[in-house]
Amino acid sequence: MKHIRNFCVIAHIDHGKSTLSDRLLDFTQSVGEREKMDQQLDDMDLERERGITIKSHAIQMHYTHTDGTEYVFNMIDTPGHVDFSYEVSRSIAACEGALLLVDATQGIQAQTISNLFLALEHDLEIIPVLNKVDMQTARIDEMADQMIELTGCAREDIIEASGKTGIGVQEIMTAVVERVPAPSGDPDAPLQALIFDSVFNPFRGVIAYVRVMNGTLKKLQEVKFIATGAKYTANEVGAMEITPKPQGQIGCGSVGYIITGVKNSSEIKVGDTVTLAENPAKMLSGFEEVKPMVFAGIFPLDNDDFEMLRDSLEKLQLNDASLVFEAETSAALGYGFRCGFLGMLHLEIVQERLFREFNMDVITTVPNVTYRVTDTKGVVTEIRNPAELPEQNNRQMVEEPIIYAQIITTTEYIGAIMNLCINKRGTLTKQTYLSPQRVELHFVLPLAEIVFDFYDRLKSISRGYASFDYQPKDYQETDLVRMDIKLNGENVDALSALVHRSKARYVGAGMCKKLRELLPRQQFMIAIQAAIGGKIIARETLSAMRKDVTAKCYGGDISRKRKLLEKQKAGKRKMRQFGSVEVPQKAFLECLKLD
């Protein structure tokens, strides 16, 4: 055990985690020349296309230290985007140390601070690394001072490195050996192994990734999953190298995988504890539960695919433990699921993965957050769907979730960012200058105001320089109304939204205008209306496609043309009574992106 080191790589998005991980794999010769590629640990097409890490990736490396001692390194590369912070929390729970990466050209960003505090809560040993020092725009001394102020480390503790050229890789390896403590645990105690991730293999069932805290996990032992109570035989256990490497056992303090042949995804939960059926131990504590921030309905294009969508979501949940869902029905869309996400990027990624990995075409409804409603009897209920909001005379109070937002930016964009946050009903609580050119702003904001386009607009007005992070705070009373969108007088419940009364007219007018652009024209006129209860607050009209019925009239009295136009008008009126309006998939999310 004293020759094992478990550590993760944490940083803000685009600070070079995956590239530096590639260099560490090269240095320890963990990847053969034929398998070598950029972003080695990012095995999803989406990750390579977007250049971001969506899922944590664990890998085992063998390193020979300068004194000739062989060490086993279990490294976890984590995502940097705020929407995937749950992946980071799970990785941190399985480690004793962390490489804290900071880009020498960009400096400390909001997510860097958030991940650092997460690691310190778990008492991880922090190794500060200044990445991209080979770039001409690198400000090494200035960024080193920022790191010293943030972490309280000494200047000589900071390792200067480059994921591109391999500078500092040897120093990182030495620091991991010398600074990261060896795992603690009792090899002779009853087995306790934490499940920190899982994937679904169509041939072998669920593969669970575990960190053994106490005891030893051996092949063919009967194991028990404490949370679900399920018992299975460990058909295969092993280490997670570039390709899974079967072994006879996983020792105390090590990270590995276990295959039990479980086909039902609900029987293995991330955060559960694996123990032996004949000599069970207690469940491990301290694992963070997922808290979805954004809720949206996901419906199949064809109602016959409902069961297929359920299976797809269950398998996807194994790869993405932060996804939660429950069944719901919609008058317009039929049977589907109300899903919880950590943010809008997470929603977008899930939708894309359903299409790519399971060939599921889905319709996503208007995303919203969880509100608390107190009725006239004083009973408090949580609502996640606009249809669940009681009528005005049946409710006493509505509360919305609020967050602490932390924005780090350069001084020239302070005014524009403050305007954006104040327009989003935010309140400035603190302003701190990290350096003469960098400032940290703290706002209290309603969560509902940031879930749609806040992050995109923040990046636009700051030319990409501002970084954003947030933590849930509490609930506060709000004046909430349900806004319905009507097409020819019929409610489209999938487009209903819960909005603040002060913004209802603006949002309603914007959605009507967007829908007018997005809806395909029909043979009849379509009235697009936004309504609160029985009151219409905005309207747009989509004119009908018309055939030139007067083309054959090339002479004679005007009454001949009028007769034909009146006949056409009557036909359009009749068509409008029976015609139905199909809302295309892209309209559901596009109409929310209001300027």
Side-chain angles (χ1 to χ4, degrees), residues 39 42-54 84 316 345-357:
Q39 288 177 264
D42 293 348
D43 51 14
M44 255 187 262
D45 291 342
L46 266 174
E47 292 179 312
R48 295 182 182 283
E49 282 169 26
R50 293 177 180 236
I52 59 172
T53 302
I54 293 167
F84 305 112
L316 192 58
L345 177 66
H346 188 205
L347 186 156
E348 203 181 314
I349 294 293
V350 166
Q351 194 175 329
E352 187 70 22
R353 287 184 70 185
L354 281 171
F355 176 70
R356 291 192 185 199
E357 296 173 27

Side-chain angles (χ1 to χ4, degrees), residues 535-588:
K535 184 181 178 184
I536 305 296
I537 58 169
R539 172 180 171 134
E540 292 283 339
T541 304
L542 185 63
S543 56
M545 286 193 293
R546 295 188 63 177
K547 182 183 175 184
D548 188 2
V549 291
T550 61
K552 59 188 176 183
C553 291
Y554 46 85
D557 191 64
I558 186 67
S559 60
R560 289 182 64 199
K561 288 188 176 181
R562 195 170 288 140
K563 184 180 172 185
L564 288 168
L565 288 169
E566 288 296 327
K567 189 178 176 184
Q568 185 189 42
K569 193 174 175 183
K572 297 280 184 199
R573 196 179 299 122
K574 186 179 179 183
M575 200 181 284
R576 192 175 166 193
Q577 288 174 353
F578 302 108
S580 63
V581 183
E582 288 284 327
V583 182
Q585 158 64 12
K586 70 172 184 176
F588 287 101

Side-chain angles (χ1 to χ4, degrees), residues 195-214:
I195 301 176
F196 67 90
D197 207 352
S198 61
V199 293
F200 184 81
N201 184 304
F203 305 105
R204 312 203 65 183
V206 181
I207 301 173
Y209 295 153
V210 296
R211 157 73 200 273
V212 180
M213 299 296 189
N214 289 301

Side-chain angles (χ1 to χ4, degrees), residues 372-384:
R372 283 205 308 227
V373 179
T374 308
D375 63 17
T376 46
K377 295 176 183 175
V379 179
V380 179
T381 52
E382 286 193 346
I383 62 164
R384 297 170 183 170

Side-chain angles (χ1 to χ4, degrees), residues 144-426:
D145 290 341
Q146 284 186 21
M147 290 185 82
I148 291 164
E149 195 175 329
L150 176 66
T151 62
C153 64
R155 178 67 179 88
E156 56 270 17
D157 291 341
I158 299 172
I159 299 169
E160 295 177 14
S162 166
K164 199 170 186 180
T165 61
I167 297 168
V169 171
Q170 176 62 67
E171 288 81 354
I172 290 171
M173 290 298 196
T174 305
V176 169
V177 170
E178 293 173 357
R179 297 193 217 170
V180 176
S184 58
D186 183 359
D188 302 320
L191 174 68
Q192 280 181 310
L194 171 75
I195 301 176
F196 67 90
D197 207 352
S198 61
V199 293
F200 184 81
N201 184 304
F203 305 105
R204 312 203 65 183
V206 181
I207 301 173
Y209 295 153
V210 296
R211 157 73 200 273
V212 180
M213 299 296 189
N214 289 301
T216 306
L217 176 58
K218 294 179 181 175
K219 186 180 176 181
L220 300 179
Q221 284 184 319
E222 191 181 10
V223 294
K224 179 184 176 184
F225 300 99
I226 295 179
T228 57
K231 294 180 182 179
Y232 286 94
T233 302
N235 298 329
E236 183 178 309
V237 298
M240 294 176 295
E241 296 187 0
I242 285 294
T243 52
K245 183 182 176 185
Q247 295 175 336
Q249 64 178 42
I250 310 172
C252 182
S254 281
V255 173
Y257 68 89
I258 172 173
I259 300 174
T260 55
V262 178
K263 289 286 192 284
N264 187 352
S265 56
S266 61
E267 293 189 22
I268 290 186
K269 294 187 184 302
V270 171
D272 196 0
T273 304
V274 180
T275 188
L276 294 179
E278 59 181 14
N279 185 17
K282 289 182 181 177
M283 191 162 182
L284 293 162
S285 62
F287 194 81
E288 190 180 322
E289 278 295 314
V290 61
K291 299 183 190 77
M293 295 290 181
V294 179
F295 292 87
I298 287 186
F299 295 84
L301 283 181
D302 185 345
N303 266 328
D304 294 342
D305 294 336
F306 174 73
E307 288 300 330
M308 204 187 299
L309 178 59
R310 185 200 296 277
D311 292 343
S312 303
L313 283 169
E314 283 177 357
K315 288 170 186 173
L316 192 58
Q317 197 176 38
L318 286 168
N319 279 11
D320 183 356
S322 47
L323 171 68
V324 295
F325 62 91
E326 57 186 32
E328 75 161 356
T329 55
S330 158
L333 301 171
Y335 292 102
F337 295 92
R338 168 81 18 186
C339 302
F341 307 94
L342 297 179
M344 287 297 282
L345 177 66
H346 188 205
L347 186 156
E348 203 181 314
I349 294 293
V350 166
Q351 194 175 329
E352 187 70 22
R353 287 184 70 185
L354 281 171
F355 176 70
R356 291 192 185 199
E357 296 173 27
F358 304 101
N359 203 23
M360 286 297 308
D361 263 324
V362 294
I363 292 173
T364 310
T365 65
V366 178
N368 59 275
V369 299
T370 305
Y371 295 95
R372 283 205 308 227
V373 179
T374 308
D375 63 17
T376 46
K377 295 176 183 175
V379 179
V380 179
T381 52
E382 286 193 346
I383 62 164
R384 297 170 183 170
N385 194 329
E388 296 170 358
L389 185 71
E391 293 299 323
Q392 185 79 43
N393 55 355
N394 291 334
R395 62 178 193 257
Q396 184 181 322
M397 180 175 65
V398 181
E399 294 172 294
E400 66 180 345
I402 55 172
I403 56 153
Y404 275 130
Q406 178 189 33
I407 298 168
I408 296 178
T409 182
T410 50
T411 48
E412 62 188 294
Y413 303 116
I414 292 176
I417 289 170
M418 281 186 173
N419 275 341
L420 173 66
C421 293
I422 289 164
N423 288 339
K424 296 283 187 182
R425 298 189 284 128

